[in-house]
Amino acid sequence: MCIEFFRFYSDINITWRMLNCHFFAYIMNTNLYEYNGVGSVPKDVVHALVNEGVVLIPDETFRECHNLESIIIPNSVTRIGIGAFAKCRSLVSIRLPSWIKQIGEFAFAGCKSLLNINIPNGIKVINLLTFEQCTSLENIIIPLSVVEICDGAFYGCSNLVSISILSEVEKIDHNAFYGCKSLHSLELSIDIENIGIEVFGECESLRKVDL
């Protein structure tokens, strides 16, 4: 995982040293903004680094940072607040640490350039509109820990082609995958107890749902 993390961020103009699966940045790029867990973030930030030791990325911290292309999140972070990265329309890819246990509502809503994101194993609920209108997102893996996918979690993810649900999800709420026009097939657990209204509404390419 650490090697993948290193490769992913090797395009940023930072020199890296790896020690015991932790990364320390020697900042070479004046555009890189260090976030210490408090206060507001400049809206023109392009690359960001959350400092080691930060536990929570508060509500709306990076909201509408339209130029944000990349962010490095350390293993110390366990929670991402409501709308923390909403409408970061230039954010292409993000790797979330495995220690994250909660991702807030609307956290990545409107991140229209987002191609890749992992959902850490440990997340139990994919919250309301978490990935709404992430129109570039193509693939998503739902980890073993997830038991509920809330209302509109992937609403309008029009390029989402495949969803791998590794967990035994018990509940999928209303409109969870509404408007996922490129979704072809989906496999659900036979133990699912509740499927909401219009969960797959306007999923015009969906031909098969296996239970």
Side-chain angles (χ1 to χ4, degrees):
M1 178 178 176
C2 293
I3 293 174
E4 291 177 358
F5 192 86
F6 174 76
R7 287 175 178 169
F8 176 74
Y9 287 107
S10 62
D11 61 334
I12 301 176
N13 190 18
I14 304 174
T15 301
W16 291 99
R17 177 165 60 87
M18 184 170 70
L19 177 64
N20 294 330
C21 216
H22 292 283
F23 291 89
F24 298 86
Y26 295 91
I27 301 170
M28 306 292 289
N29 191 325
T30 57
N31 288 327
L32 192 139
Y33 174 83
E34 287 189 81
Y35 178 67
N36 63 7
V38 295
S40 59
V41 173
K43 293 301 182 184
D44 60 350
V45 62
V46 177
H47 301 297
L49 169 68
V50 177
N51 287 333
E52 184 69 39
V54 172
V55 175
L56 166 67
I57 299 177
D59 297 354
E60 301 189 348
T61 298
F62 292 89
R63 180 182 173 87
E64 295 184 353
C65 289
H66 296 314
N67 296 322
L68 183 67
E69 296 177 5
S70 62
I71 184 164
I72 301 167
I73 300 176
N75 287 334
S76 59
V77 172
T78 60
R79 291 175 54 206
I80 294 177
I82 296 171
F85 297 96
K87 298 184 180 180
C88 290
R89 61 190 182 195
S90 298
L91 186 63
V92 174
S93 188
I94 187 170
R95 178 164 290 280
L96 301 178
S98 58
W99 298 107
I100 289 181
K101 302 301 181 186
Q102 183 178 354
I103 301 174
E105 300 169 356
F106 315 99
F108 297 95
C111 293
K112 293 184 179 294
S113 297
L114 189 64
L115 291 170
N116 300 295
I117 190 169
N118 63 302
I119 299 175
N121 193 28
I123 296 292
K124 292 186 177 181
V125 177
I126 300 178
N127 271 310
L128 174 73
L129 299 170
T130 299
F131 300 102
E132 181 226 3
Q133 295 294 335
C134 289
T135 53
S136 295
L137 193 64
E138 295 182 354
N139 303 285
I140 200 76
I141 297 175
I142 309 295
L144 287 167
S145 56
V146 172
V147 295
E148 181 178 0
I149 302 174
C150 292
D151 291 13
F154 296 93
Y155 187 101
C157 293
S158 55
N159 280 322
L160 189 62
V161 174
S162 68
I163 303 169
S164 299
I165 300 181
L166 304 181
S167 65
E168 295 184 354
V169 173
E170 298 173 1
K171 184 179 182 181
I172 302 179
D173 292 329
H174 307 323
N175 302 308
F177 299 100
Y178 190 97
C180 294
K181 297 181 179 181
S182 300
L183 186 63
H184 292 151
S185 62
L186 181 68
E187 185 173 343
L188 299 176
S189 168
I190 59 173
D191 295 324
I192 193 165
E193 298 175 358
N194 192 313
I195 298 180
I197 298 170
E198 291 286 318
V199 167
F200 302 107
E202 298 296 325
C203 292
E204 55 194 38
S205 298
L206 186 61
R207 296 290 181 267
K208 184 178 181 182
V209 177
D210 292 326
L211 296 174

